[in-house]
């Protein structure tokens, strides 16, 4: 009898251990496959300015506990800080310039994917009173134009090449905010600026005017509608481990973008409150000119592949040396 009792106790212990192992394994599987949305905290970084505008409502909803997912947000002013955080795994999802996404894809050998495009063309040539007669690219021939680094410079140089215009591009002011300050102070006569920097500059200096809309120029010289300056990316590993989380994020983010476009005044207040941009009134004035969109799937991939091809023809380094292959695009199954 004692032996039978010992055997029964041993069987019970083995069964209990097996159940424990199965249970633990089940939890790990749920988390890795994204089955339990609340098991994962999504770390998101966004740039201040236009690229981050569409995130404002989602950030506010998360702060108030009104989202399906758990989020941790941060706002940065330098894209290189965000790309570094993505590369080392500190950030899961981020809003970035499209050329930065292409470069990171090449640098990490496919360890990020573009989930959606969030910003189209937002660049304008701004001039002071002495250059108020400028209203075309041809009028810039022989002149010096100050331009922020990266995407704005690549886009502007490409347009000048297409138009056959000889322009000296000066990158003294690398960041758009620094160039805006120089324009307002009268240190710069002609500049390429993105929104909302254009709206800020004009509000501080009444002698400034918008001379050329570079999106309109792009559509003349390249494929219409292919100018795409901002996007949402995610780490490939995070997508693979949490597919349902990524799908839910995109659903919530798309709603946030729609809100920003449809409720300009309240969205502008949220943009300021969430630290994406400091001035709600300027944000309100700028939103209609910021081309904030949500484009995913095949439409995203088709248009971005054209844009990346154009950037590569302008300067291969703009996209990391080669046009990104189809693996860069998230299609809902990758």
């Amino acid at each position: 009898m004692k032996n039978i009792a010992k055997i029964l106790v041993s069987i019970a212990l083995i069964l209990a251990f097996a159940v424990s192992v199965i249970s633990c394994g089940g939890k790990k599987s749920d988390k890795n496959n994204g089955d339990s949305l609340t098991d994962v905290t999504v770390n998101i970084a966004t740039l201040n300015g236009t690229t981050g505008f569409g995130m404002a409502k989602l950030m506010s909803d998360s702060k108030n506990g009104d989202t399906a997912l758990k989020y941790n947000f941060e706002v940065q002013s330098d894209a290189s800080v965000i790309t570094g955080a993505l590369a080392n795994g500190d950030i899961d999802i981020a809003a970035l310039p499209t050329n930065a996404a292409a470069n990171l894809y090449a640098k990490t050998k496919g360890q990020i994917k573009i989930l959606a495009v969030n910003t189209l063309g937002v660049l304008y040539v701004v001039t002071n009173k002495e250059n108020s007669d400028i209203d075309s690219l041809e009028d810039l021939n022989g002149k010096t134009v100050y331009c922020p680094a990266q995407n704005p410079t690549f886009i502007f140089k490409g347009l000048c090449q297409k138009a056959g215009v000889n322009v000296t591009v000066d990158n003294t002011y690398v960041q758009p905010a620094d160039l805006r300050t120089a324009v307002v102070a009268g240190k710069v006569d002609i500049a390429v600026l993105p929104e909302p920097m254009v709206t800020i500059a004009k509000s501080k200096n009444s002698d400034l005017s918008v001379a050329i809309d570079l999106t309109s120029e792009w559509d003349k010289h390249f494929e219409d509608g292919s100018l795409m300056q901002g996007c949402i990316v995610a780490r490939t590993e995070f997508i693979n481990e949490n597919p349902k989380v990524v799908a839910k994020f995109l659903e919530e983010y798309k709603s946030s973008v729609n809100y920003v476009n449809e409720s300009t005044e309240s969205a502008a207040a949220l943009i300021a409150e969430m630290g994406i941009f400091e001035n709600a009134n300027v944000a309100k004035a700028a939103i209609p000119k910021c081309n904030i969109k949500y484009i995913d799937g095949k439409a995203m991939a088709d248009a971005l592949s054209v844009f990346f091809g154009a950037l590569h023809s302008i300067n291969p380094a703009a996209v990391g040396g080669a046009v990104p292959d189809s693996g860069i695009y998230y299609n809902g199954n990758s």
Side-chain angles (χ1 to χ4, degrees):
M1 290 295 292
K2 287 183 179 180
N3 289 336
I4 293 174
K6 288 180 178 180
I7 292 171
L8 290 173
V9 169
S10 297
I11 291 173
L13 290 171
I14 291 170
L15 287 173
F17 177 74
V19 169
S20 174
V21 169
I22 292 171
S23 175
C24 291
K27 281 188 176 181
K28 184 176 181 182
S29 177
D30 284 347
K31 183 175 181 180
N32 286 347
N33 290 316
D35 293 331
S36 178
L37 297 179
T38 56
D39 280 351
V40 180
T41 297
V42 188
N43 295 305
I44 299 180
T46 188
L47 284 169
N48 59 354
T50 307
T51 309
F53 276 14
M55 200 76 74
K57 183 63 163 63
L58 180 57
M59 292 172 72
S60 176
D61 286 348
S62 174
K63 181 180 177 181
N64 296 328
D66 295 329
T67 55
L69 301 175
K70 295 178 182 176
Y71 294 109
N72 178 39
F73 291 97
E74 62 179 76
V75 179
Q76 295 287 347
S77 59
D78 187 343
S80 66
V81 174
I82 297 178
T83 56
L86 281 164
N88 64 30
D90 290 340
I91 293 296
D92 304 312
I93 295 173
L96 282 174
T98 46
N99 76 296
N103 274 277
L104 186 59
Y105 180 77
K107 182 179 179 179
T108 62
K109 296 180 170 40
Q111 293 310 301
I112 61 106
K113 290 183 182 292
I114 299 176
L115 303 178
V117 166
N118 69 0
T119 315
L120 303 184
V122 295
L123 294 174
Y124 301 85
V125 174
V126 177
T127 62
N128 59 15
K129 187 185 294 184
E130 287 72 25
N131 293 277
S132 59
D133 57 333
I134 292 174
D135 60 12
S136 70
L137 289 175
E138 288 72 19
D139 291 334
L140 297 175
N141 196 51
K143 297 185 181 296
T144 296
V145 178
Y146 288 77
C147 193
Q150 296 299 314
N151 243 2
T153 290
F154 297 136
I155 291 166
F156 181 64
K157 282 185 173 180
L159 287 172
C160 289
Q161 289 171 12
K162 286 285 187 178
V165 175
N166 182 22
V167 174
T168 299
V169 177
D170 193 314
N171 291 134
T172 297
Y173 304 96
V174 174
Q175 296 298 330
D178 295 332
L179 179 54
R180 175 204 73 204
T181 301
V183 169
V184 170
K187 296 178 180 179
V188 169
D189 297 331
I190 309 170
V192 172
L193 283 175
E195 283 290 3
M197 299 303 169
V198 174
T199 299
I200 298 173
K202 290 183 66 182
S203 71
K204 293 179 179 293
N205 186 337
S206 60
D207 288 339
L208 300 175
S209 60
V210 174
I212 308 169
D213 178 347
L214 292 187
T215 300
S216 296
E217 293 297 324
W218 182 274
D219 290 343
K220 291 177 188 176
H221 297 286
F222 295 93
E223 186 171 320
D224 193 357
S226 64
L227 181 54
M228 298 187 150
Q229 289 190 241
C231 63
I232 298 293
V233 307
R235 291 188 296 109
T236 303
E237 181 181 24
F238 184 80
I239 295 170
N240 292 339
E241 291 182 350
N242 305 283
K244 290 187 178 180
V245 170
V246 173
K248 177 56 69 174
F249 159 75
L250 288 175
E251 180 184 314
E252 296 192 313
Y253 178 68
K254 182 178 182 180
S255 295
S256 182
V257 170
N258 290 339
Y259 181 89
V260 170
N261 283 322
E262 294 166 3
S263 307
T264 303
E265 186 168 353
S266 55
L270 291 179
I271 286 168
E273 182 184 340
M274 294 299 110
I276 299 170
F277 192 70
E278 69 271 15
N279 190 309
N281 288 331
V282 172
K284 178 184 174 183
I287 286 172
K289 296 172 281 188
C290 285
N291 256 332
I292 301 164
K293 303 290 183 182
Y294 178 91
I295 304 172
D296 62 10
K298 186 176 185 301
M300 166 192 71
D302 289 348
L304 263 182
S305 63
V306 171
F307 179 59
F308 287 147
L311 283 185
H312 183 268
S313 70
I314 295 165
N315 185 341
V319 289
V323 176
D325 59 39
S326 61
I328 196 174
Y329 305 114
Y330 170 79
N331 60 18
N333 299 310
S334 55

